[in-house]
Amino acid sequence: MKLAGLAMASPAAAARILDQAAAEAMEFTRQAEATSLGSGTLDHLDFAVTEFNRAYSLKPPKAVFDAVMDYRRKVAALLAGRHTHQQERELLTFAGWLSELLAWLAHDLGDARTGLAFATDAFVHGQQAGHGRLCAWAMDAAASINLYEQRPGKARNAALKGLSEAAVPHPLTVRLHAQAARAAAADGDADGFTTAFRAAEDAYGILPPRSPRRFGLDVLPLADYALTSYSATSFIWLGQAEQARQYAEQALATYESAPEASRSPSREAIARIDLALAHALLGDSDAAVALGHQALDSTRVVDSVRHRAGDLTAFLARRHPGREAVETLRERLVAVGAAARAVTAAPAHEPEEGVT
């Protein structure tokens, strides 16, 4: 109203009004730039998230979970503080990436409920940040967790939800189509599997020559793993043993030839179990038992590995009741599971301030 009266004000009064407006404009700018974040906070978070993702396959999941959870709480506190809109988007993104990693870690520790809760949290924070690819990665985790919980319909829905957010072309798109294919196989839908798997192959065929990176790591191997390992598992569930054997062998070769930074001991162990199940279906129980022991020799026998190893021992026990070699494998799996539960139940150490 003051400015509207400029035309009627004296020159001196008009000058005072404009001086006041200029001061208010500077205050508006100061408020827009006001923040309680330290100058290096966002750089530190970027480094932390990168290091946590690199540690994922190298360190025990319980230790990594505790450290990542500590950082997730810190980011929540930062979001509750004062920051610029641009900083808010970055904090939302970091919160989402930490929750996406916590979803996988909870899955590795055998807690599906917590894993799905963090996958949902990652998706929501990705949406708030306008980060569609983060949303898609979150649904990739949700699809896997639901599959291991024997909810193929929810797994497929998660994969499709991720595909609606994923960029094309991108290795993540391949993974999500392969997730949908694996969900169809788990549901006994051979035609649905074939359709989704062809979509995964088509998505793979249009990938650009230069592979994108995620926290400094090449993500193309994740598409390679999905096309081979997910297919092996799918053919097991569909009862097509020879196709399962071929894809499981391809998966193992892919895992073993991957750069050290991209190696995944737990996924490699699952590929060995798929190959073991294929041999068991084909009648070669000796090879199945040997591969089962190799899988349990892995440096990272997480819940998904133990779950699939349980499928193997149960099948072998039905096919060869009372056989000593099968019982020995089953007893070893029981011991491995007991040891893992003891570690998970152990009290956590106080989280460190830095990234280990």
Side-chain angles (χ1 to χ4, degrees):
M1 291 178 65
K2 290 180 180 179
L3 291 174
L6 279 175
M8 300 176 62
S10 66
R16 287 196 300 273
I17 292 171
L18 289 171
D19 283 344
Q20 182 180 350
E24 288 184 86
M26 286 189 290
E27 177 60 18
F28 296 152
T29 303
R30 188 193 68 78
Q31 289 178 7
E33 294 178 336
T35 178
S36 59
L37 294 185
S39 59
T41 300
L42 295 175
D43 287 340
H44 175 77
L45 287 174
D46 184 63
F47 174 77
V49 173
T50 298
E51 290 301 297
F52 284 139
N53 274 271
R54 288 176 176 168
Y56 172 73
S57 293
L58 303 175
K59 295 189 176 184
K62 178 63 162 60
V64 181
F65 183 94
D66 292 339
V68 177
M69 190 67 217
D70 178 54
Y71 265 78
R72 181 63 186 84
R73 293 188 183 106
K74 289 175 179 175
V75 174
L78 292 173
L79 278 166
R82 192 169 190 178
H83 39 67
T84 68
H85 291 303
Q86 182 176 345
Q87 288 173 337
E88 181 181 37
R89 285 194 296 273
E90 292 189 65
L91 288 171
L92 287 166
T93 302
F94 285 129
W97 284 126
L98 290 167
S99 286
E100 187 256 356
L101 184 53
L102 286 166
W104 284 110
L105 289 162
H107 172 54
D108 290 339
L109 292 167
D111 192 332
R113 179 173 173 271
T114 300
L116 289 170
F118 275 115
T120 299
D121 185 66
F123 184 88
V124 169
H125 278 78
Q127 280 190 320
Q128 293 296 315
H131 200 307
R133 194 166 295 165
L134 168 56
C135 295
W137 282 112
M139 289 300 98
D140 178 52
S144 282
I145 296 169
N146 276 304
L147 273 168
Y148 276 91
E149 287 299 295
Q150 299 182 29
R151 296 191 288 241
K154 289 184 178 296
R156 181 178 180 274
N157 290 340
L160 295 178
K161 190 174 181 180
L163 283 167
S164 70
E165 299 281 354
V168 179
H170 194 278
L172 177 56
T173 305
V174 179
R175 275 185 67 83
L176 289 166
H177 280 301
Q179 290 277 30
R182 190 166 58 153
D187 214 16
D189 181 2
D191 291 338
F193 163 76
T194 299
T195 299
F197 182 62
R198 284 176 179 165
E201 290 182 313
D202 290 343
Y204 189 88
I206 62 171
L207 290 178
R210 188 171 185 177
S211 178
R213 304 185 78 80
R214 181 179 187 258
F215 303 114
L217 299 176
D218 185 1
V219 297
L220 181 60
L222 296 177
D224 294 329
Y225 299 160
L227 282 180
T228 55
S229 188
Y230 288 5
S231 300
T233 301
S234 297
F235 282 120
I236 290 291
W237 290 339
L238 292 171
Q240 300 179 35
E242 183 55 34
Q243 291 93 327
R245 182 190 65 78
Q246 293 174 15
Y247 276 101
E249 288 177 347
Q250 290 178 33
L252 273 176
T254 301
Y255 287 128
E256 291 171 350
S257 64
E260 192 62 32
S262 299
R263 293 289 292 270
S264 175
S266 55
R267 295 187 183 105
E268 190 171 324
I270 289 173
R272 293 186 190 282
I273 293 170
D274 280 330
L275 185 56
L277 281 162
H279 280 295
L281 286 168
L282 293 167
D284 189 350
S285 60
D286 290 338
V289 169
L291 285 160
H293 280 294
Q294 290 174 25
L296 295 180
D297 287 337
S298 171
T299 58
R300 199 167 185 274
V301 182
V302 295
D303 186 73
S304 55
V305 176
R306 297 191 296 274
H307 182 100
R308 295 302 311 286
D311 292 343
L312 173 62
T313 56
F315 179 81
L316 288 171
R318 289 194 302 272
R319 183 70 66 92
H320 306 281
R323 185 173 176 185
E324 183 178 355
V326 173
E327 184 60 21
T328 299
L329 179 62
R330 189 195 68 79
E331 290 174 353
R332 184 182 178 192
L333 176 59
V334 170
V336 168
R341 287 190 294 274
V343 170
T344 303
H349 297 294
E350 286 298 318
E352 299 178 9
E353 287 300 315
V355 180
T356 58

